[in-house]
């Protein structure tokens, strides 16, 4: 067999890079849990100085710092022996309010390893895995990773992109956040629009409990939370119903959209936020698509299959999502905004 040495070396270079990223995943979690990134964001440090700042063992910190610098997550000055976080790195590694919360995403990575045996069984059997059956680190990581995106875009870009919705929210509207999880999106909107009333629905009781705690902790008295699935809530007369990164997971996405259509006022808005995806596989063969296909095969598709759903997957794309919303009875559907990680749609009755 003739081997193309250049292609072999190119592939092995990619594979070694992936191997380095994989073995470093737990070290990113350790850096987050031990406060190493946070402490390093306060200024450059040697391993001895960082260990003193964080109450950790210098020998372990020394290896951690070298690993992070080798991966490009830190910078190293050989003359001083100090490591530092660049401002842009600190925004993503040490600031939960930054534009991307990378450590939050790694809790999702941790969760799929907890579920590995079930994943292998599901590949053989075609069965599913309910959201609530996952390790709790999935719920924590999902909130952190997506909350950063909501903080960066929801109030300043996504809601203003809806036709007249922001004005209704300012004057006083009734809003449902379906599949709200820990309530990050619900609470953010409630704080920004104190004249409006918000209710978050989720079928996972523990998430609803935490969402209520989060709202109370910041004084968001205009937000409440109820245990209900996407077709099981009974209220109506909503000005806005939102689905944040959840419709593609559902066992009956068209039914959930139809229920929302019926619960909306005639002039209401449905906000649909979904992972960024093109309509064809070849459109998504890129780094973002790789992440989402990974999450889809281990989290999103199993959740839908657990309820005998269509398993739209995290890379559903605009054409398939439009078809779901039109089947549900929405007469208007448009892409209102987008980011490198999300597609944002507005549907109206």
């Amino acid at each position: 067999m003739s081997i193309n040495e250049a292609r072999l070396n190119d592939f092995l270079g990619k594979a070694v890079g992936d191997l380095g990223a994989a073995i470093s995943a737990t070290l990113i979690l350790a850096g987050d849990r031990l406060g190493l990134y946070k402490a390093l964001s306060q200024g450059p440090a040697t391993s001895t100085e960082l260990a003193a700042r964080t109450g950790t063992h210098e020998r372990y910190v020394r290896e951690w710092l070298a690993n992070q610098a080798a991966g490009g997550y830190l910078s190293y000055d050989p003359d001083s022996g100090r490591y530092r976080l660049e401002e842009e790195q600190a925004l993503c590694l040490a600031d939960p309010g930054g534009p991307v919360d990378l450590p939050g995403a790694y809790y999702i990575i941790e969760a799929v390893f907890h579920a590995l045996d079930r994943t292998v069984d599901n590949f053989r059997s075609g069965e599913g895995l309910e959201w609530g059956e996952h390790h709790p680190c999935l719920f924590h990581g999902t909130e952190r990773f997506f909350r950063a995106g909501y903080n960066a875009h929801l109030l300043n870009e996504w809601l203003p992109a809806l036709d007249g919705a922001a004005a209704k929210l300012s004057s006083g509207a009734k809003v449902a956040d379906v599949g709200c999880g820990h309530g990050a999106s619900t609470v953010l909107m409630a704080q920004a629009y104190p004249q409006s009333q918000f209710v978050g629905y989720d079928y996972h009781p523990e998430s609803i409990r935490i969402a209520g705690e989060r709202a109370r902790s910041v004084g968001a008295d205009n937000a409440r939370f109820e245990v209900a699935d996407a077709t099981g809530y009974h209220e109506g007369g909503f000005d806005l119903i939102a689905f944040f990164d959840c419709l593609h997971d559902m066992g009956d996405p068209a039914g959930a959209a139809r229920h929302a259509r019926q619960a909306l006022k005639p002039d209401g808005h449905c906000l649909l936020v979904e992972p960024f995806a093109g309509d064809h596989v070849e459109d998504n063969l890129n780094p973002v698509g790789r992440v989402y296909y990974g999450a889809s095969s281990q989290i999103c598709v199993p959740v839908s299959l657990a309820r005998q759903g269509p398993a739209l997957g995290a890379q559903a794309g605009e054409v398939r999502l439009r078809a779901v919303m039109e089947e549900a009875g929405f007469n208007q559907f448009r892409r209102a905004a987008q980011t490198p990680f999300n597609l944002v749609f507005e549907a109206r009755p």
Side-chain angles (χ1 to χ4, degrees), residues 40 43-51 53 58 61-63 65-66 69 74-84:
L40 201 56
T46 64
S47 58
T48 300
E49 291 165 342
L50 185 60
R53 287 182 196 173
E58 184 276 333
V61 171
R62 194 190 320 169
E63 297 299 288
L65 284 166
L74 306 176
S75 297
Y76 176 62
D77 178 10
D79 293 330
S80 66
R82 285 187 169 86
Y83 297 81
R84 71 177 185 277

Side-chain angles (χ1 to χ4, degrees), residues 158-239:
W158 297 349
L159 289 174
L162 306 184
D163 187 15
K168 294 178 184 178
L169 289 165
S170 295
S171 61
K174 184 178 180 182
V175 181
D177 188 353
V178 180
C180 66
H182 286 184
S185 49
T186 324
V187 172
L188 183 63
M189 292 188 291
Q191 289 180 288
Y193 296 103
Q195 301 304 315
S196 293
Q197 296 296 315
F198 297 82
V199 55
Y201 297 114
D202 202 287
Y203 80 143
H204 186 228
E206 180 63 11
S207 289
I208 287 297
R209 183 190 68 78
I210 292 173
E213 289 181 352
R214 299 285 168 81
R216 289 189 293 273
S217 71
V218 296
D221 297 331
N222 58 330
R224 58 188 170 86
F225 298 89
E226 297 181 12
V227 177
D229 68 20
T231 58
Y233 58 94
H234 302 296
E235 288 190 57
F238 290 103
D239 296 284

Side-chain angles (χ1 to χ4, degrees), residues 115-296:
L116 179 57
D117 288 343
R118 285 290 298 274
T119 297
V120 172
D121 289 343
N122 288 343
F123 267 70
R124 293 191 176 108
S125 68
E127 294 181 357
L129 178 63
E130 287 276 13
W131 178 260
E133 294 183 87
H134 277 280
H135 190 280
C137 63
L138 175 63
F139 319 136
H140 171 70
T142 299
E143 180 202 19
R144 281 187 54 175
F145 180 67
F146 286 107
R147 180 180 61 200
Y150 303 153
N151 286 341
H153 303 289
L154 175 56
L155 300 178
N156 296 326
E157 298 172 31
W158 297 349
L159 289 174
L162 306 184
D163 187 15
K168 294 178 184 178
L169 289 165
S170 295
S171 61
K174 184 178 180 182
V175 181
D177 188 353
V178 180
C180 66
H182 286 184
S185 49
T186 324
V187 172
L188 183 63
M189 292 188 291
Q191 289 180 288
Y193 296 103
Q195 301 304 315
S196 293
Q197 296 296 315
F198 297 82
V199 55
Y201 297 114
D202 202 287
Y203 80 143
H204 186 228
E206 180 63 11
S207 289
I208 287 297
R209 183 190 68 78
I210 292 173
E213 289 181 352
R214 299 285 168 81
R216 289 189 293 273
S217 71
V218 296
D221 297 331
N222 58 330
R224 58 188 170 86
F225 298 89
E226 297 181 12
V227 177
D229 68 20
T231 58
Y233 58 94
H234 302 296
E235 288 190 57
F238 290 103
D239 296 284
L240 172 66
I241 296 179
F243 295 88
F244 289 98
D245 293 291
C246 64
L247 188 74
H248 65 273
D249 294 330
M250 294 181 179
D252 184 10
R258 188 177 302 111
H259 192 76
R261 166 72 179 81
Q262 295 166 351
L264 275 174
K265 291 180 179 178
D267 64 343
H269 310 257
C270 182
L271 171 62
L272 178 61
V273 179
E274 283 285 305
F276 191 97
D279 294 313
H280 305 95
V281 170
E282 59 268 28
D283 299 331
N284 304 318
L285 300 182
N286 52 59
V288 172
R290 186 186 188 190
V291 170
Y292 281 141
Y293 279 126
S296 187

